Amino acid sequence: MATEIERKFLVRDDSYKKLAFAHSHIQQGYICSERGRTVRVRIRDERAYLTIKGPSLDGGLSRYEFEKEITLEEGHQLMLLCEPGLVDKTRWLVRHGGHVFEVDEFYGDNTGLVMAEVELSSIDESAELPDFIGVEVTGDRRYYNSQLRQHPYCKWGDKS
Amino acid sequence: MATEIERKFLVRDDSYKKLAFAHSHIQQGYICSERGRTVRVRIRDERAYLTIKGPSLDGGLSRYEFEKEITLEEGHQLMLLCEPGLVDKTRWLVRHGGHVFEVDEFYGDNTGLVMAEVELSSIDESAELPDFIGVEVTGDRRYYNSQLRQHPYCKWGDKS
């Protein structure tokens, strides 16, 4: 099993919207977000999914994951049970220099935040960056999904 | 929606086993057992189920419940993620005097505990009790499923 390397960036302008080959609307929340067991509800466009993840094993290389598609009605009902801090975003996919950049445009309490991620197959692999890519924030905990739920972007004092 | 009244009893002897018209083996655990949202995994004989329940509404009269059958393999995997205190029991069904008594014979940390429950449609309804029924424990919190997980029968000092 390969280790995945993800680099994360802020986004400078909205040119990614014209460059994107696909986009989808994602809402997600957590019924349970304890370390070692998370129960996530996600609605992606008109489809809903329930995902349960176990603890990371083998130093983060593997993790049990259970995912089932559920009805949209069940998705909306389960979303009502989630912990505070739903994430609401549009994910845009942009192909550039042999990589796919996922650009997340956030709404709700995280309105104003736009983040791009690219997955690399090793730490040595370099990525050619499109013009809309701004400051790199890889490893900055404030941008973790779990942090964005508890400390949304609208409450940050210093947004640099 | 009718209110269900449940009466709960200890059991005096194992005559219920011969009287039972059905029985099944139940193992269950909780991935999440917070007040207002519980995620339960149950394996009943050779079938497995995932159940998510929301908070009680309307003074306990209604509660959102999501239940999906999952594969036995998924059931065993998800059981590994559960909080400590799995419940392991055989449930015996006995028909008596127009009612069905559910008799739960516990194993593991609750070995030695055998409890019977009967559901009545109103508080005025009386139930004819079979001979194996012992002391009534309706309302005694120690016998709640949630309590049996945290304070199993094997750790009780006074088992009266």
Side-chain angles (χ1 to χ4, degrees), chain B residues 19-107:
Chain B
L19 298 168
F21 64 90
H23 70 275
S24 52
H25 180 219
I26 295 172
Q27 286 176 293
Q28 68 184 39
Y30 287 82
I31 292 176
C32 170
S33 60
E34 271 183 64
R35 211 182 159 85
R37 46 174 174 261
T38 59
V39 180
R40 188 187 71 195
V41 185
R42 175 181 270 186
I43 296 177
R44 188 171 186 137
D45 295 331
E46 295 302 307
R47 304 180 79 165
Y49 304 87
L50 180 69
T51 307
I52 302 178
K53 293 183 188 183
S56 291
L57 302 173
D58 310 324
L61 290 180
S62 69
R63 188 176 187 188
Y64 176 71
E65 184 172 322
F66 164 97
E67 184 162 81
K68 277 276 175 293
E69 183 163 359
I70 58 180
T71 70
L72 197 55
E73 166 67 14
E74 288 167 337
H76 285 300
Q77 286 285 350
L78 290 176
M79 206 67 91
L80 298 176
L81 305 186
C82 286
E83 297 170 348
L86 297 184
V87 164
D88 187 2
K89 63 188 178 186
T90 295
R91 173 165 289 178
W92 305 78
L93 301 181
V94 177
R95 209 171 271 122
H96 186 89
H99 290 101
V100 171
F101 289 77
E102 292 181 345
V103 183
D104 283 345
E105 178 190 14
F106 290 85
Y107 309 119

Side-chain angles (χ1 to χ4, degrees), chain B residues 115-151:
Chain B
M115 245 180 347
E117 269 185 26
V118 63
E119 215 165 79
L120 305 176
S121 49
S122 80
I123 42 171
D124 305 322
E125 191 182 354
S126 63
E128 189 190 311
L129 304 177
D131 285 343
F132 60 78
I133 292 293
V135 178
E136 180 158 7
V137 295
T138 306
D140 186 333
R141 291 180 53 83
R142 295 180 299 170
Y143 296 96
Y144 289 9
N145 267 300
S146 54
Q147 292 293 311
L148 289 176
R149 291 189 301 121
Q150 288 168 39
H151 306 290

